Every structure is written in C-alpha cells, then in structure tokens.
C-alpha cells in the first residue's frame, strides 16, 4: 500500500505541478493587473469631488474582486479536470494489474470466496453464474461443489472480457443480478481512490506555493 501511494505521489507531482504553476501565475497576473488599474483609477478620481472619488473607488474594488474571483474559479475548474484525468489514468493502470492478478492462484481463491459468501443470502434453487472463458475447469468444479452444499443448481454463462474477471450471479428469471466482477469492484472504489488522489494533489499544490 505504501509503494502504491509513493507511486501516486510521484506521478501526481510530475503531471500536475506544471498545470498548477500556470494557474497560480495566471492568478498573480490578474491580481497585478487589478492593482495597476485600481491605481490608475484612483489617480484620475483624485481630480474630482471627494464623494465621487469614494463611489468610483468602491466600484473599482468590486470589479477587481470579480477579476480575482474569476481567476480562482478557472483555477478550481482546471484542478477538477486534471484530477479526473489522472484518476482515469490511474484506474486504467489498476485494470492492467488486475488482469495480471487473474493469472495467479490467489485469484481462484478470491472468486470462490466471493461466490461462497454470496450464496449465504440466496434462496433460489437454480442460478446462472457468469465466468470468463479463461477460467479453469478446476475453479468451475469448486464452484459447483460450493453450490451443491447449499442445494443450488448452477448453469454457467459467459462473462464478457470487459468485466476483467470475477463473476456475476443471477436468477434464471432475471429478477436480480449480483455483480461480483473485478470491474465493478474498481467502480465501487472509484470515490475512495479519487478522494485519496485529491488529497495528494492538494499537498502538492501547498508545497508548490511554499517554494
């Protein structure tokens, strides 16, 4: 887990640092432009009556605040797009790792374990189990044995490759579907991974601002 977080931190720093610096520089430029325009406006208004000066300075302050707010908003939107792009890239790498995982002995144990747990809540006598064509006959035999222990008859169906691995269970009437595929597990973890990535990117941004 530590190794994965280190990789994410290095990855985020390399990709995100340049964009964050551009946004921060743009914000500074907007602030400098505002200060310059405000100074010019104040010099001009000093030639008029004091009441008019105060009113127009207030107006200039308001306009300047809007410029800064706009720069902040653009920076925030850029951060959100960048975070989403990096999250998609990270999840694609996770999918590749999971495809390698399906070739290991532990994968078979994982599939059988999730199947056995799912059976505890089933009342049906007959079910469909969707598995990849690549799954071994030995794994299918163990699934049949586990189902038999619960007095459940199993008919195997083909699981599309887009699900990466794992299995899907459904009743034969199509009333329900239990998605235990690896792709579904990734989607279930998307928010958690995204939150972790957001915290890392925030730390990188804070670090850049201290430089």
């Amino acid at each position: 887990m530590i190794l994965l977080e280190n990789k994410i931190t290095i990855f985020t720093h390399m990709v995100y640092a340049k964009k964050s610096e551009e946004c921060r520089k743009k914000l500074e430029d907007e602030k400098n432009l505002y200060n310059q325009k405000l100074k010019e406006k104040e010099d001009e208004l000093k030639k008029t009556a004091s009441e008019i000066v105060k009113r127009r300075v207030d107006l200039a302050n308001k306009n300047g605040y809007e410029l800064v707010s706009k720069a902040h908003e653009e920076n925030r939107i850029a951060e959100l797009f960048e975070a989403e792009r990096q999250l998609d890239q990270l999840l694609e790498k996770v999918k590749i790792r999971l495809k390698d995982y399906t070739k290991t002995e532990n994968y078979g144990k994982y599939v059988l374990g999730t199947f056995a747990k799912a059976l505890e809540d089933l009342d049906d006598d007959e079910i469909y189990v969707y598995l990849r064509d690549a799954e071994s006959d030995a794994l299918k035999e163990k699934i049949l044995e586990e189902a038999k222990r619960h007095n459940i008859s199993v008919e195997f169906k083909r699981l599309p490759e887009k699900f990466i691995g794992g299995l899907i269970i459904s009743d034969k009437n199509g009333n329900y579907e239990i998605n235990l595929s690896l792709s579904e597990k990734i989607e279930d973890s998307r928010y958690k991974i995204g939150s972790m990535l957001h915290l890392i990117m925030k730390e990188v941004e804070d670090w850049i601002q201290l430089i």
Side-chain angles (χ1 to χ4, degrees):
M1 187 62 182
I2 296 177
L3 179 59
L4 177 58
E5 291 180 356
N6 289 339
K7 288 184 177 181
I8 294 175
T9 301
I10 294 172
F11 176 78
T12 302
H13 175 71
M14 293 176 60
V15 177
Y16 176 69
K18 181 178 178 181
K19 184 64 179 179
S20 181
E21 178 62 20
E22 291 175 354
C23 292
R24 186 167 65 89
K25 185 177 183 302
K26 183 174 182 179
L27 180 60
E28 286 295 326
D29 290 342
E30 292 283 359
K31 288 181 178 180
N32 292 335
L33 177 62
Y34 158 61
N35 289 333
Q36 179 183 349
K37 289 185 176 182
L38 180 60
K39 181 63 169 57
E40 293 173 355
K41 182 65 67 175
E42 288 177 336
D43 291 341
E44 175 185 351
L45 294 178
K46 284 180 181 179
K47 300 177 182 179
T48 63
S50 60
E51 184 178 348
I52 297 176
V53 170
K54 183 179 182 303
R55 185 168 61 249
R56 292 194 177 181
V57 167
D58 289 343
L59 180 60
N61 281 332
K62 179 181 178 182
N63 290 338
Y65 175 77
E66 291 175 352
L67 285 174
V68 173
S69 296
K70 181 179 179 181
H72 273 297
E73 182 65 15
E74 290 179 351
N75 185 55
R76 187 183 71 84
I77 292 174
E79 289 176 355
L80 291 175
F81 274 109
E82 181 63 19
E84 189 68 17
R85 186 182 71 84
Q86 291 192 36
L87 177 59
D88 288 338
Q89 289 183 342
L90 179 59
L91 293 182
E92 284 302 316
K93 292 181 181 294
V94 171
K95 290 178 182 180
I96 293 175
R97 295 292 298 273
L98 286 178
K99 287 180 180 179
D100 293 335
Y101 172 66
T102 61
K103 303 173 184 177
T104 66
E105 181 179 348
N106 286 335
Y107 167 72
K109 296 178 181 179
Y110 165 79
V111 172
L112 187 60
T114 56
F115 177 69
K117 186 175 181 180
L119 291 185
E120 295 176 359
D121 300 322
L122 293 183
D123 295 327
D124 298 272
D125 297 330
E126 299 179 338
I127 59 173
Y128 289 130
V129 175
Y130 294 79
L131 288 174
R132 297 183 309 155
D133 291 338
E135 306 302 6
S136 67
D137 291 336
L139 177 58
K140 292 179 180 179
E141 286 296 326
K142 290 179 180 179
I143 287 176
L144 290 174
E145 291 174 5
E146 185 64 30
K148 187 177 181 180
R149 290 179 57 248
H150 292 78
N151 297 317
I152 296 176
S153 174
V154 170
E155 181 178 342
F156 291 112
K157 296 283 188 177
R158 180 179 178 276
L159 181 71
E161 290 298 320
K162 68 178 183 178
F163 291 103
I164 304 176
L167 52 85
I168 293 177
I169 300 172
S170 73
D171 69 316
K172 291 195 172 183
N173 295 322
N175 294 324
Y176 67 83
E177 180 179 278
I178 304 174
N179 193 335
L180 302 173
S181 67
L182 295 181
S183 63
E184 183 70 11
K185 190 173 184 64
I186 292 175
E187 287 303 313
D188 289 344
S189 303
R190 184 181 183 90
Y191 175 77
K192 182 177 180 180
I193 296 174
S195 297
M196 182 177 65
L197 185 60
H198 173 74
L199 290 176
I200 293 173
M201 293 175 67
K202 184 64 169 63
E203 290 178 1
V204 172
E205 180 182 4
D206 293 341
W207 176 75
I208 291 173
Q209 292 178 349
L210 294 175
I211 297 177

